[in-house]
Amino acid sequence: MSKLKQKLAEKIPASRERISKLVKNHGKVKVDEVTIAQIYGGMRGLKSLSTDISYLDPEEGIRFRGYTIPECLEKLPRAEGAEMPYVEGHFYLLLTGDIPTQEDIEDVLEEFRARRRVPQYVFDLLRAMPRDAHPMSMFSAAVVAMQRESVFVKRYNAGMTKMDYWDPMYEDAVNLLAKLPEIAAYIYRMKYKGDTPIASDPNLDFGANFAHMMGIDHPYDEISRLYFILHSDHESGNVSAHTTHLVATALSDAYYSFAAGLNGLAGPLHGLANQEVLRWVQNLMSKMDKTPTREDLKKYVWDTLNSGQVIPGYGHAVLRKTDPRYTAQREFALKHLPDDDIFKVVSMLYEVVPPILKEHGKAKNPWPNVDAHSGVIQWHYGVKEYDFYTVMFGVGRAIGVLSNIIWDRINGQALERPKSLTTAMLEEIARQNS
Ligand code: HAX
């Protein structure tokens, strides 16, 4: 058993006991009530999920296992001379709740190295798809194709006790995660760079190897590490995390579950928003022969709103402040690309958009989210193919959602199956309560 898996195994009895006591002694305690507006409004704010891996405070933003983003970036181990921490260390934190030591990191790096080889049939499948297929459909297809590798399915079919479900889920999750950077970079080089994939370098860590296989020099390795860490998790209710979790509750394996989550991430209100931001900014810039002024930006923002569209990269279903994931990327940009023209516009938008959204009066949160910043940095380092941005989001998101479904198996998560009512039943409930 690997040291990471051993560490996880040690945490299992206490977690199981804690949850079983909570349900046994307080199972009837009410946490929340559901309103008709919530049923029709996407269950916004409804407290009905549990995870210890991350928590999204509306005012403060995300905490991973209790640590803010600046704390994670400071405390997690990094390679000698590197600016950003190892992605592998972040996975260790999300999975176990502990900050790894340098020695722990060596073990996890080795474990990922041992599991990273992508089966040839995945490349064959990608090559058989139409070259103009969306890279997210390629990514999702590659993940689901590997379902035949599932250790969970083999062990389940052979017969195992519920108590052991977490073990093969761990195997599947880490096997899958270790392969994602190569699959993503392969799609990129095949689709956009004249079909010139670059072989994986086993001596490099998750983020640096991705940058290497993308064919982009330092500091792209740093932004890759940062990007994957920032996009890893946003508690359980967002579409990609919730879908992965939901599908896993049917005892579907990690491949089926994560592929489903990726399909949700591909929606324009979720992961696809990062490409919308850049498209929207560049659309303005292409119409002007000078750098836009604040007044130009104000007019553009109002024109967008008045034409019934949303301002991409602004607003959030839970957050009510500037997203700390936006701030972390902004700090990186201020250090590494302060003179980039698009970054200057993105910076100006940070001043211009919030007061306008407040005046407009609809969005509950006028502040930027993670997607308002990611595209500009990718563009700066030469990743100019918007469609690909969500694939990178997906690589990062895997770290959180796969950790979550391992814990679902540990804690014996039941099949998720809420109850639905007809419109007439809801009208009757409304009548009785009015
Ligand atoms: N521009 C204009 N109007 C906005 C807005 C924005 N950026 N954000 C919200 N609104 C509008 C909504 O469309 C809604 O209008 P209607 O009542 O006419 O339907 C109203 O304000 C209330 O919405 P809300 O409660 O504040 O926000 P929601 O929880 O419904 O939606 C979204 C949250 C993130 C989807 C929304 O803010 C949005 O569409 N933003 C732009 C797209 C975007 O940036 N998406 C990425 C989000 C981050 C993420 O998950 N990444 O994966």
Side-chain angles (χ1 to χ4, degrees):
M1 192 185 277
S2 74
K3 288 196 180 157
L4 176 58
K5 195 170 170 188
Q6 180 62 42
K7 170 113 191 167
L8 187 63
E10 287 162 14
K11 304 220 165 217
I12 291 175
S15 173
R16 283 183 175 160
E17 196 190 332
R18 192 173 166 199
I19 291 176
S20 103
K21 260 193 195 163
L22 189 61
V23 176
K24 189 169 165 230
N25 299 335
H26 307 285
K28 293 200 170 133
V29 173
K30 270 195 186 166
V31 178
D32 213 348
E33 287 185 355
V34 192
T35 64
I36 290 179
Q38 282 174 315
I39 292 176
Y40 287 103
M43 294 188 272
R44 206 66 90 256
L46 187 65
K47 297 183 188 75
S48 54
L49 295 164
S50 173
T51 176
D52 293 319
I53 288 173
S54 66
Y55 178 73
L56 178 55
D57 183 280
E59 299 297 324
E60 185 193 52
I62 193 74
R63 276 183 185 260
F64 298 118
R65 289 285 188 179
Y67 296 101
T68 62
I69 287 172
E71 284 167 351
C72 287
L73 297 182
E74 188 214 317
K75 289 179 194 298
L76 287 170
R78 64 199 73 229
E80 212 182 322
E83 190 181 335
M84 295 297 162
Y86 286 116
V87 174
E88 291 88 337
H90 186 62
F91 177 62
Y92 186 106
L93 170 66
L94 294 192
L95 197 58
T96 67
D98 297 334
I99 300 275
T101 62
Q102 201 65 39
E103 198 191 326
D104 295 329
I105 282 289
E106 293 306 323
D107 291 325
V108 189
L109 287 172
E110 195 42 53
E111 183 165 2
F112 271 64
R113 238 171 247 142
R115 295 171 186 255
R116 85 166 73 189
R117 208 188 64 77
V118 178
Q120 181 56 41
Y121 66 79
V122 174
F123 300 127
D124 296 342
L125 170 80
L126 292 172
R127 306 194 72 76
M129 290 181 80
R131 218 33 79 81
D132 65 354
H134 194 284
M136 277 301 276
S137 79
M138 290 184 166
F139 195 37
S140 171
V143 170
V144 90
M146 288 191 292
Q147 190 276 336
R148 70 186 285 282
E149 312 293 331
S150 173
V151 181
F152 184 85
V153 170
K154 289 182 189 90
R155 296 265 306 271
Y156 185 83
N157 290 341
M160 71 177 148
T161 77
K162 215 176 166 184
M163 289 298 174
D164 291 339
Y165 283 175
W166 72 274
D167 183 307
M169 184 58 121
Y170 174 95
E171 293 300 318
D172 284 351
V174 186
N175 281 338
L176 175 55
L177 185 55
K179 295 174 178 56
L180 295 179
E182 183 166 356
I183 295 171
Y186 188 92
I187 292 171
Y188 182 74
R189 302 280 317 179
M190 176 186 77
K191 192 171 157 63
Y192 303 113
K193 295 288 157 186
D195 198 4
T196 55
I198 298 172
S200 165
D201 180 345
N203 297 315
L204 298 174
D205 62 85
F206 196 96
N209 197 21
F210 177 73
H212 156 75
M213 291 182 286
M214 290 287 285
I216 309 174
D217 294 337
H218 178 77
Y220 193 70
D221 50 349
E222 302 289 7
I223 194 62
S224 299
R225 294 185 186 111
L226 177 66
Y227 192 96
F228 295 146
I229 289 171
L230 293 182
H231 287 81
S232 61
D233 209 34
H234 224 214
E235 63 171 48
S236 298
N238 66 80
V239 171
S240 51
H242 190 197
T243 309
T244 307
H245 159 86
L246 170 67
V247 175
T249 70
L251 292 189
S252 299
D253 57 63
Y255 299 90
Y256 279 136
S257 306
F258 180 58
L262 281 178
N263 297 344
L265 190 67
L269 293 186
H270 192 16
L272 214 70
N274 54 18
Q275 72 182 59
E276 295 301 321
V277 173
L278 204 53
R279 199 190 309 277
W280 180 72
V281 170
Q282 290 186 327
N283 180 37
L284 168 71
M285 292 174 79
S286 68
K287 286 183 192 155
M288 314 199 85
D289 48 11
K290 59 177 177 65
T291 309
T293 62
R294 270 184 182 66
E295 288 314 307
D296 295 328
L297 289 182
K298 279 183 190 168
K299 181 175 178 319
Y300 187 54
V301 171
W302 274 117
D303 286 349
T304 303
L305 290 172
N306 291 336
S307 67
Q309 296 168 62
V310 295
I311 306 301
Y314 281 76
H316 200 272
V318 179
L319 264 173
R320 295 295 175 255
K321 284 275 165 66
T322 297
D323 191 335
R325 301 172 299 173
Y326 174 93
T327 311
Q329 294 183 93
R330 177 171 164 77
E331 280 165 12
F332 184 93
L334 283 168
K335 181 169 174 196
H336 291 280
L337 43 136
D339 299 324
D340 183 286
D341 282 342
I342 308 178
F343 172 57
K344 284 182 188 160
V345 174
V346 166
S347 276
M348 241 193 280
L349 283 168
Y350 189 22
E351 294 166 28
V352 166
V353 174
I356 295 182
L357 280 180
K358 281 184 197 166
E359 191 182 332
H360 184 245
K362 266 191 169 183
K364 294 190 188 69
N365 174 29
W367 302 103
N369 60 57
V370 65
D371 295 322
H373 218 303
S374 16
V376 56
I377 301 182
Q378 295 299 332
W379 183 275
H380 181 84
Y381 292 109
V383 185
K384 299 190 172 179
E385 301 79 6
Y386 302 151
D387 282 356
F388 189 71
Y389 298 167
T390 315
V391 174
M392 292 185 285
F393 192 154
V395 175
R397 185 48 51 106
I399 303 163
V401 300
L402 292 174
S403 302
N404 255 300
I405 58 176
I406 296 171
W407 275 97
D408 282 347
R409 291 287 198 268
I410 289 174
N411 292 327
Q413 170 67 48
L415 175 73
E416 197 171 297
R417 206 316 187 175
K419 179 82 188 84
S420 49
L421 299 174
T422 65
T423 312
M425 289 170 183
L426 289 169
E427 281 168 344
E428 179 56 22
I429 293 171
R431 197 188 57 74
Q432 285 170 12
N433 282 276
S434 60

